[in-house]
Amino acid sequence: MVMEERWEVVGDTYCNANLLRVTEPDGSDQLSFTKFLMHIKAIIRRFEAQLPNATMDIDVDMLLTEKNWNVEEKEASIEFEYDEEYDDVAAMKSISDALSGLQVPVQTHSSLIDRILFQASNASRNCEHDHHKVLHMAVEVDLYVAEKKYLDQNLEFPLVVQLLGN
């Protein structure tokens, strides 16, 4: 049974992955593929409005105030071996599990994984080596989410729908 998420992503999702450094494998370890050590930071901005009663006028400034947004920053570190020439389900699962642990909505995982692995592949290709190395990367994800009830088209406050999109 799949549980429906109550949060929906609104607006654009930012994702960037940067190569921090390249190191040799520890000791006599011979890697089959390039190994990635990734530190992922997720910034999730949750719309949790204190909506006024129906008789009050609502304006955009009221909805954009900081008190209506709860900002959470979470971090995780993962490691995996990856080679872009193979459809590496293990690497994808490792990244998806980390994103889930950081409470990044599942609906964004596929596109985020694609972006992260694209950057990882570029980093791997740009490192000149005659054997596989360990690549240390930093990943940052920043997104806005709102409870689905605020996105309901029948909502008493349609300005919220216009402001948040969808």
Side-chain angles (χ1 to χ4, degrees), residues 81-122:
E81 289 186 12
Y82 175 70
D83 186 319
E84 69 177 311
E85 298 195 16
Y86 296 94
D87 185 17
D88 196 339
V89 176
M92 292 178 204
K93 182 174 178 355
S94 182
I95 296 169
S96 183
D97 288 348
L99 293 172
S100 290
L102 297 171
Q103 297 182 342
V104 173
V106 174
Q107 67 197 30
T108 65
H109 286 201
S110 180
S111 65
L112 292 175
I113 290 168
D114 287 347
R115 289 185 219 173
I116 292 167
L117 290 180
F118 176 78
Q119 293 296 331
S121 294
N122 283 342

Side-chain angles (χ1 to χ4, degrees), residues 9-10 15 17 21 23-24 35 39 43-44 48 68 77 79 96 110 112 132 134 140 142 161 164:
V9 176
V10 292
C15 178
R21 66 184 175 281
T23 59
E24 296 289 331
K35 184 175 186 175
H39 183 77
I43 303 167
I44 302 173
E48 295 178 345
N68 290 327
S77 294
E79 65 180 72
S96 183
S110 180
L112 292 175
H132 298 290
V134 179
E140 186 173 324
D142 193 338
V161 174
L164 297 178

Side-chain angles (χ1 to χ4, degrees), residues 48-65:
E48 295 178 345
Q50 304 300 317
L51 293 176
N53 63 40
T55 61
M56 291 181 67
D57 288 334
I58 302 172
D59 63 13
V60 172
D61 291 334
M62 180 185 300
L63 293 172
L64 291 177
T65 61

